[in-house]
Amino acid sequence: MVEPAFAADLIQRRQRSEFLSNIKGTLFTTIKNNPDIVPSLLTLALNDAVTYDKATKTGGPNGSIRFSSEISRPENEKLSAALSFLEEAKKEIDSYSKGGPISYADLIQLAAQSAVKSTFLASAIRKCGGNEEKGQLLYSAYGSNGQWGLFDREFGRSDTEVPDPEGRVPIWGKASVQEMKEKFSNIGFGPRQLAVLSAFLGPDQTAIEELLASDPDVLPWVQKYQRSRETVSQTDYEVDLITTLTKISRLGQQINYEAYTYPVQKVDLTKLKL
């Protein structure tokens, strides 16, 4: 039974890979046509994930932010448009899925991935004087696309059926740096991860980094990533951002590696006319 089992595993991997590729294509197109939604998509993904509580092993990137009682909380103010945006994308994705509807948990984190990629691509295009073709070549040559492998494997997050408890997510625009550090510490992260996720904490990354730089623990990391963004490849910033997003995007989740797979119709060889 080893060979049939191995073949079945390969088929499931291909099914998931094809579905994931199609999802990325849908999200890339929709985000490209609506670039102003990017900051909200990033914060939506962060706020859905940082409800995780290490002590009780509850919360995390489980799609709970889709519930009206959670999206309407003060910390999620102005994120309703991003959620509505993803609900429309979900309709399209579900229409071509052969293995069931995509979970909100997966959709929200994959949208953040696409949003991050769009910002790096946009930066490469700007560095090429606005030439889109050259910018795409630059990003392909120097970008860190290959670092997304682990993130892509974490595909199969499950949705919760109830909102996460209140009081677990700071209002980023009003929180002090100390409060942000404490929140990140509570989910297993430090000043380094806080600094690299500055774009996730609100629409004005420059203002957020000015605030973060006022803290001596966070300042060196803010400076490191600012210097990195000025380089052609942005390697330090991009790699650390991908690594951190990958970890946050699976907090408390048990990934179902068979999600979105479906039975393959068997061919009756006796009916073939050769």
Side-chain angles (χ1 to χ4, degrees):
M1 295 298 294
V2 174
E3 290 184 2
F6 180 68
D9 182 56
L10 289 178
I11 290 172
Q12 290 182 338
R13 290 185 188 181
R14 185 184 65 192
Q15 290 172 346
R16 284 165 52 82
S17 177
E18 289 176 352
F19 185 43
L20 181 59
S21 179
N22 290 335
I23 293 169
K24 290 182 179 181
T26 297
L27 291 173
F28 175 82
T29 301
T30 54
I31 291 173
K32 183 179 180 181
N33 293 334
N34 299 271
D36 292 342
I37 203 70
V38 165
S40 295
L41 290 177
L42 299 180
T43 306
L44 185 75
L46 179 66
N47 285 9
D48 191 46
V50 298
T51 56
Y52 179 65
D53 179 69
K54 283 196 301 183
T56 61
K57 306 297 183 185
T58 59
N62 54 19
S64 65
I65 203 167
R66 74 188 189 276
F67 292 111
S68 58
S69 60
E70 188 166 332
I71 193 67
S72 61
R73 294 174 186 170
E75 66 266 23
N76 297 324
E77 185 181 6
K78 299 181 180 180
L79 297 182
S80 294
L83 181 60
S84 297
F85 175 84
L86 291 186
E87 286 173 338
E88 288 302 310
K90 188 177 190 302
K91 292 177 183 177
E92 180 180 345
I93 292 168
D94 289 348
S95 71
Y96 56 69
S97 173
K98 298 177 182 178
I102 186 173
S103 68
Y104 278 91
D106 273 336
L107 178 62
I108 290 168
Q109 298 304 318
L110 287 170
Q113 178 195 42
S114 291
V116 166
K117 286 184 175 182
S118 74
T119 61
F120 284 122
L121 177 58
S123 175
I125 292 172
R126 286 195 300 272
K127 289 175 180 177
C128 292
N131 187 303
E132 186 169 338
E133 183 178 356
K134 290 183 179 179
Q136 289 176 337
L137 288 172
L138 177 65
Y139 182 55
S140 297
Y142 292 99
S144 303
N145 245 341
Q147 299 294 323
W148 286 107
L150 181 56
F151 181 96
D152 287 345
R153 285 195 291 275
E154 308 304 305
F155 181 45
R157 302 170 185 84
S158 300
D159 282 341
T160 183
E161 295 306 318
V162 294
D164 283 336
E166 294 188 58
R168 293 187 176 183
V169 183
I171 301 175
W172 303 113
K174 297 180 179 180
S176 66
V177 181
Q178 184 60 35
E179 289 171 331
M180 296 183 195
K181 287 166 60 180
E182 289 174 358
K183 177 59 200 180
F184 270 63
S185 177
N186 289 340
I187 60 173
F189 295 97
R192 180 177 189 169
Q193 289 76 29
L194 177 60
V196 83
L197 289 181
S198 59
F200 288 66
L201 303 175
D204 190 343
Q205 186 176 11
T206 301
I208 291 166
E209 288 190 335
E210 287 180 1
L211 174 62
L212 294 177
S214 66
D215 185 281
D217 294 329
V218 190
L219 173 61
W221 297 108
V222 171
Q223 293 174 330
K224 174 185 175 72
Y225 297 133
Q226 287 176 339
R227 289 193 299 268
S228 178
R229 290 200 299 270
E230 293 174 358
T231 65
V232 173
S233 64
Q234 304 188 74
T235 301
D236 288 343
Y237 176 58
E238 188 172 2
V239 170
D240 280 7
L241 178 53
I242 293 170
T243 301
T244 302
L245 178 57
T246 299
K247 292 179 179 178
I248 278 186
S249 73
R250 66 156 301 158
L251 286 171
Q253 276 279 352
Q254 295 295 321
I255 305 299
N256 176 10
Y257 294 103
E258 295 182 356
Y260 313 118
T261 60
Y262 50 90
V264 177
Q265 185 177 1
K266 294 182 179 179
V267 177
D268 187 347
L269 297 179
T270 64
K271 295 183 178 181
L272 293 178
K273 296 180 181 180
L274 301 176

